[in-house]
Amino acid sequence: MKNKKIAIVSIYDLNNYGNRLQNIAVYKLLKKNNYEPEVIEVDYIGRKEYFVRPIKKVLEFCKISTKDIRYRLFLDFNKHIKLSKYKILWKLNREIVDKKMYKDYDCFLVGSDQVWNPEFAGFGFYFLDFVKDNKKKIAFSASIGVTDVSDEYANKMQLNLSSFNAISVREQQANDLITSLTKRDDVVTLVDPTMMLEPEEWDKLARKPKYCKGERFILNYFLGEQSPERRKIINDFAKKMGYKVINILDKENPFYASGPAEFLWLEKNAELICTDSFHSSVFGILFNTPFLVFDREDTSKNMSSRLDNLLRLFELNDRKFIGKELSESYLEIDYSSAYEKLLSEKKKGLNFLINAIEGNKKHEV
C-alpha cells in the first residue's frame, strides 16, 4: 500500500530558529511513521528580508556580511526536509495557490508554531481555506500565541476551524478559545513537536559555530528588546563567573552568523540560557541545560501564555526570573520530573498525529 503523502503548511521564515526547528520536527515525525511529507513553502513576495545578496565564488575575496552567512546557513538547514514543488504566494494581501496541489496530497497539516497569531500570521492559508475536494485537514500543535483576539478574527477562526478533521493546539488558552468558538469537544492540547523528538536526534543536527574557541558561556537569546538594566544583570553575572556572553541576535556580533544547527549546539553547550523565547526554553529542557525565562519587555500583546504553559506543565515555574540579580543557584537544575512528564506527552502527541491521519474518530490521549 502506498504511503500517505502529507503537505505541511507552516510559517516559512528563514530568520527564526524556533520556526525552522519545529518545521523539521513535524517533518521527521511524519517520516519516522512511514508517511511522505513535503513542506509547502510560503513565499511572501516583496518582503525585504528574502532579498539577501547572493554569494558567488568570484566574490569570495569580498567581505561577506553576517546576515548573508546566516541566511545561507538557514537555507542549508533545509536539506533536512523535502520542499514541495508547489508554493503559496502571498502578494498584495492576496494568496495565490496552485489548484493542482489538491491532487498530489492525501491530507494537509498546518502547524506547529504561531500559525494563527493575528499579529503576524493568521492568513487564510494557515486555516487551510484553500483545501477543497474533501481533502483531510489537520492542525498539529498549532498556536495562537496571544490570549485575546478581536471579534472579527474570532469569527474567522470559527468559520474555518469548524471544518477541520482534527485539531490540536500548543496552549490550553488556545484550546479553550477554539472549543468555545466551534463547540467542538475533540480539541487536544499537545507539547511542541520539537519536544517529540529525542535529544540525540537534535544532537545529530547540531554544529559548533566557528567562532567558538572553547570558552564557557551564557547564551543570551531575547526576541524582544533588552533594557540596559537587564543586559547589566546578565553581563555582571557572566563577569563574576568568568563566562562569555553570546548574543546570536545581535547583528554586530559575529555569532549572528549562526543557523539552526549552530543554535542547537549553543543551546546544548551553554552554562546558562537567558531568554524570553519559547523554543530556546524548550531546547534547554531537551538538552538538560539550565535556563531562565525573562518577561518580554516590549510587546503590546501578551505573548507569555506559551511560556507559562511550558513552565507549568513541566513544573519548572522556578525558572522564571523575578529578581534583580543572578546567582550561582540558577546554574543547577533537576529535570527528572519534567522528563517523566515528557514521556507521556510524547506518546500523547504521536497518538494524536497517527489517529488524525488514519481517520480514527476518537483520539487516544
Side-chain angles (χ1 to χ4, degrees), residues 13 86 88 237 309:
D13 191 336
Y86 300 106
I88 295 174
F237 180 68
N309 272 269

Side-chain angles (χ1 to χ4, degrees), residues 114 117 119-120 143-148 170-174 223 230 275-279 281 293-313 317 320:
Q114 298 182 63
N117 188 319
E119 292 291 290
F120 53 81
S143 175
I144 299 174
V146 295
T147 53
D148 299 308
R170 204 173 63 186
E171 294 88 34
Q172 186 58 43
Q173 292 91 332
L223 297 175
R230 180 169 290 179
T275 188
D276 63 0
S277 159
F278 173 83
H279 281 108
S281 303
V293 171
F294 293 71
D295 285 328
R296 196 166 294 188
E297 295 181 305
D298 65 340
T299 181
S300 59
K301 286 274 189 178
N302 182 6
M303 296 178 66
S304 65
S305 64
R306 53 207 174 117
L307 269 167
D308 292 340
N309 272 269
L310 182 75
L311 298 180
R312 188 182 309 114
L313 177 63
N317 288 308
K320 191 78 173 281

Side-chain angles (χ1 to χ4, degrees), residues 77-136:
F77 202 70
N78 275 350
K79 66 188 177 186
H80 300 297
I81 60 175
K82 181 180 180 182
L83 288 172
S84 170
K85 64 181 179 181
Y86 300 106
K87 288 185 179 182
I88 295 174
L89 304 181
W90 180 252
K91 183 178 183 180
L92 301 176
N93 294 328
R94 186 168 68 94
E95 62 187 53
I96 304 170
V97 181
D98 190 334
K99 294 183 178 180
K100 295 178 182 177
M101 189 190 305
Y102 310 131
K103 299 179 182 179
D104 280 10
Y105 298 101
D106 296 293
C107 77
F108 291 78
L109 185 151
V110 63
S112 173
D113 218 359
Q114 298 182 63
V115 286
W116 297 334
N117 188 319
E119 292 291 290
F120 53 81
F123 302 121
F125 50 82
Y126 288 130
F127 289 109
L128 303 181
D129 64 351
F130 61 91
V131 178
K132 312 295 182 185
D133 300 332
N134 296 316
K135 293 287 186 175
K136 188 170 290 186

